[in-house]
Structures are given as structure tokens and as C-alpha cells.
Amino acid sequence: MSKIDIRSLNYEELSSQIEELGLPGFRTAQIYSWLYEKGVESFSEMSNISKPLRDRLSEIYEIKNCVIDTKLVSEIDGTVKYLYRLRENEYIECVVMKYKYGYSVCISTQLGCKMGCKFCASAIGGFQRNLTAGEMLSEIYTAQRDLNIKISHIVLMGTGEPLDNFGNVMRFIELVTDKRGLNISMRHISLSTCGVVPKIYELADKKLGLTLSVSLHAPNDEIRSQTMPVNLKWNIQELLKACKYYAKTTSRRISFEYAMIDGFNDSEKCAYELAERLGGMLCHINLIPVNNVRENNYVRSGNERIKKFISVLESRNLTVTVRRTLGSDINASCGQLRAGKSRQNQARQG
Ligand code: SAH
């Protein structure tokens, strides 16, 4: 029988497990603190619990951990990129960035991704499986322990589509914001989606107060559908309707991600069209010069084109930023390290 993934349980669930085992109630707080506040990797670290009880627990439960396979540290800005191994042939990426306000971690939510965006390295190799809440938490504990730091901000922008793993991601958010655990503020969490419309409504209705980023990348359906298959299911009109609902329901402004691809979506005409569509919305636009991925041939827009694009948007009173490139010397963008691993494996098998 497979063991229970103990670090995906919330306090109430852990408490009823403890009760079922016939253990005194105070054990819940003890074990919870080891798992969620201290982020232990094994039961043997739970020093205020007797050896026989630890052995009993480890027969029933497992603590899912990430093992560091590769670690790259940027010489430019100290950004750290990890390739973690979960099990054989299961690799995920996680990036830690240092900002003035603290340490931010970019975590993966799935092994691979089903969404198939053409510019994204995460689509390479397809989809393996969803990550559990405990595995997502472990990405953070592993980095904290390795770097001896405390993470204060989280972005769900690594490999995977968070809204395609909705239940586990919601559980992760519940656990990571729990005062008895990592106690990360909801305001310090951003979730990025390619536009899974029904789930945007569901998320809005939860009124969590986290920041929603939406990967828009195009001003019209014709351009968007060429690179983002999700647009064939929910087009821009439906997506923006859901975004407006989100902004209205939560009073939080949406952040639209827009990867600037040379000659594809970066013309002045595109900028005017984008401004037209987003005008009057509670939002922010984040331009990302597209990262080159070996499997595709997208070229990032030059500075002049980016500047022109910004000036059009600003002339229409939209707020725009260009994403700072962190860790450019270590390939710190989405899925590239993992894709490298999969290339290696293919080469070995081939
Ligand atoms: N599935 C989610 C989160 C993962 S990707 C989403 O689509 O939003 C995080 C962000 O990086 C998204 O905005 C994604 O579109 C963008 N991205 C992916 N590949 C990129 C690349 N090669 N260059 C620039 N941005 C990229």
C-alpha cells in the first residue's frame, strides 16, 4: 500500500489522523511544526518524538522531498536555479531571486505541461503528472535549507499550469500561508496562468487576495492562437471577461505578461490594439523580452521596438514595466534546465 503524503495534509486532517492512531492531541501541533514550520526532510529529525513513534509514523506516512540534482548560481545577480529530482526521471525547476524586499522563489506546479505554448521550454517533453501540495512546499524548504534563508515571496511561474492543477495548488496556498507553517503573506504570492478561463472565475470567487498574472502575449486571437493552443478553447474576449470579473471581485489589479517576439507581436499596431483591448481595466502590463529556447526560433525584440511599444501603451495611460532579466548567465528562464535534462536522456536512449 502506498504511504500517505503527510505534508499535503492540513491541520485538521493531520489532527484526525493523529486521533485515529490513538495518539494524544498535542502531537498534532508538534508534528505540524516539524513538517510546515521547520520543513524537515524525514521523521528522524523530529527530536521531541520518541524513536518507536517516529518509526510507526514512517511506516504509514511519507514526507515528499526534492533532491538537488543541479544548482547554478548567477555571477551577475546571485539568482540561484535548481534542478530538483523527485523520483527517477522526475525533474522540476525552481529559481530563487534576491530582491530589495527579500527572497522570492519561483516554483513549478506540474511535471511538464499540457498547454503547449510554442515559445515555452516547459512544453518540451509533454506532461508527466501534477505535483502534490507537499511537493510544491518541498521546493521551498529545500531551497531555504540549502541557502540558509527565509523565503518571503512566491511566484507560481515555473513549469506547469497552476490552474490545471487547481486542487493541489489551492491546498499549497492554504498551507504556505498558514501562520503555524511558513506564514507567507497572501499579498506576496503571484499565480500565473495561460488563461484557463473557468478556473479564473473559481479563483476570483475564493477572494484570496493573491496577484493574478495572465500570459496574454498577443493583442488579437489571430496572433495568440499561433503560439498558444489554449486560445482555441478560450479566446481573448472570454479571457478578458474573466479577468475583469477577477479584478472586480477581488479589487486586485491583474498583471498581463507579454513576451516580446521580434516581428511577431511587437509592432506599433499591436501596441495600439492591445491598448484598445485593455483600456479601462484595473491592470498592469509586464513586457518580457522573449527568451530563446533551443527548440524554437523566436527572437527577442530589440530595445527600440520595446521602447516604441511602451510609449504607445503609456500614451493610453496603461502602466507598463519590462521584466528585469535575472540570472541571464544561468539560463534561469522557464523550463530550460529541465528541457536540457530531457535532451540528455533522449540522447542517451537514442
Ligand atoms: N503556465 C503558466 C505559468 C508558467 S510560465 C502561464 O502560462 O502563465 C511563466 C511565464 O513565462 C508565462 O507568462 C509564460 O508565458 C512565460 N514564458 C514562457 N516561455 C517563455 C520564453 N521563452 N520567453 C519569455 N517568457 C516565457
Side-chain angles (χ1 to χ4, degrees):
M1 215 182 74
S2 66
K3 294 183 184 178
I4 298 171
D5 172 14
I6 193 169
R7 204 159 32 204
S8 290
L9 304 177
N10 67 16
Y11 198 88
E12 290 67 38
E13 289 166 352
L14 183 66
S15 169
S16 50
Q17 294 274 330
I18 296 292
E19 204 180 311
E20 265 174 47
L21 293 174
L23 297 169
F26 69 87
R27 290 287 185 208
T28 305
Q30 280 182 335
I31 296 171
Y32 195 87
S33 164
W34 284 115
L35 290 172
Y36 295 95
E37 198 185 343
K38 305 188 182 82
V40 293
E41 286 176 357
S42 71
F43 290 100
S44 61
E45 291 175 58
M46 301 184 175
S47 58
N48 56 0
I49 293 175
S50 68
K51 173 93 174 40
L53 179 52
R54 288 191 323 239
D55 289 345
R56 192 170 159 212
L57 291 172
S58 57
E59 273 165 26
I60 310 169
Y61 305 101
E62 79 175 308
I63 305 173
K64 288 187 182 277
N65 285 311
C66 300
V67 176
I68 300 171
D69 176 272
T70 311
K71 175 183 175 185
L72 301 174
V73 184
S74 163
E75 283 180 20
I76 304 170
D77 51 46
T79 297
V80 181
K81 176 153 198 173
Y82 293 105
L83 183 69
Y84 294 143
R85 195 170 61 83
L86 291 169
R87 292 191 298 234
E88 200 184 337
N89 275 328
E90 289 193 347
Y91 292 92
I92 48 172
E93 284 184 22
C94 174
V95 183
V96 178
M97 292 151 287
K98 190 173 183 214
Y99 290 97
K100 279 191 217 92
Y101 50 75
Y103 287 97
S104 175
V105 65
C106 173
I107 68 155
S108 296
T109 55
Q110 296 179 313
L111 271 155
C113 187
K114 292 180 210 157
M115 299 298 142
C117 300
K118 296 219 168 64
F119 45 79
C120 182
S122 300
I124 299 162
F127 174 78
Q128 275 176 282
R129 68 171 176 89
N130 283 327
L131 294 182
T132 70
E135 287 170 327
M136 291 180 239
L137 283 171
S138 167
E139 295 180 50
I140 302 177
Y141 296 120
T142 306
Q144 285 200 156
R145 187 181 277 234
D146 181 57
L147 299 171
N148 198 18
I149 55 162
K150 171 92 177 81
I151 298 287
S152 59
H153 291 66
I154 301 173
V155 293
L156 293 140
M157 278 198 186
T159 303
E161 168 49 50
L163 297 188
D164 185 44
N165 184 12
F166 197 76
N168 290 339
V169 166
M170 290 306 114
R171 172 54 63 91
F172 163 77
I173 290 170
E174 174 192 347
L175 294 170
V176 86
T177 52
D178 188 353
K179 294 207 162 38
R180 295 161 294 199
L182 280 173
N183 191 19
I184 289 178
S185 158
M186 198 63 92
R187 301 220 156 237
H188 292 177
I189 301 179
S190 295
L191 183 153
S192 181
T193 179
C194 65
V196 183
V197 165
K199 295 294 174 191
I200 295 179
Y201 286 104
E202 216 175 313
L203 185 67
D205 288 335
K206 288 186 180 287
K207 296 196 175 69
L208 293 180
L210 49 79
T211 302
L212 183 65
S213 292
V214 173
S215 302
L216 191 58
H217 304 320
N220 60 47
D221 289 324
E222 200 196 329
I223 297 181
R224 194 166 194 261
S225 297
Q226 283 178 49
T227 49
M228 300 182 72
V230 70
N231 199 64
L232 300 170
K233 198 153 183 189
W234 298 288
N235 64 21
I236 297 189
Q237 196 188 350
E238 288 172 275
L239 175 59
L240 293 184
K241 198 170 150 208
C243 291
K244 281 180 189 149
Y245 180 82
Y246 187 91
K248 192 165 150 252
T249 316
T250 63
S251 308
R252 305 275 298 162
R253 69 176 187 172
I254 303 241
S255 180
F256 287 105
E257 307 288 312
Y258 197 103
M260 300 286 287
I261 305 174
D262 186 52
F264 179 69
N265 63 357
D266 65 344
S267 66
E268 275 185 75
K269 187 167 172 278
C270 286
Y272 280 113
E273 210 176 336
L274 184 66
E276 194 63 37
R277 291 205 97 134
L278 300 184
M281 242 183 109
L282 185 60
C283 71
H284 168 96
I285 302 161
N286 193 19
L287 302 178
I288 321 166
V290 79
N291 285 302
N292 295 86
V293 175
R294 211 199 300 172
E295 275 75 358
N296 64 46
N297 23 15
Y298 296 110
V299 175
R300 62 171 53 179
S301 310
N303 285 342
E304 280 312 306
R305 285 179 85 86
I306 297 180
K307 265 192 219 152
K308 270 200 193 131
F309 202 87
I310 294 175
S311 71
V312 171
L313 296 176
E314 284 181 341
S315 73
R316 298 296 175 100
N317 294 323
L318 286 157
T319 47
V320 196
T321 47
V322 180
R323 186 186 284 176
R324 239 173 94 203
T325 355
L326 287 174
S328 51
D329 55 331
I330 54 166
N331 237 354
S333 51
C334 339
Q336 302 204 35
L337 210 54
R338 185 168 176 271
K341 197 83 191 176
S342 125
R343 282 183 208 114
Q344 264 175 30
N345 282 344
Q346 276 164 13
R348 236 181 267 134
Q349 282 156 16

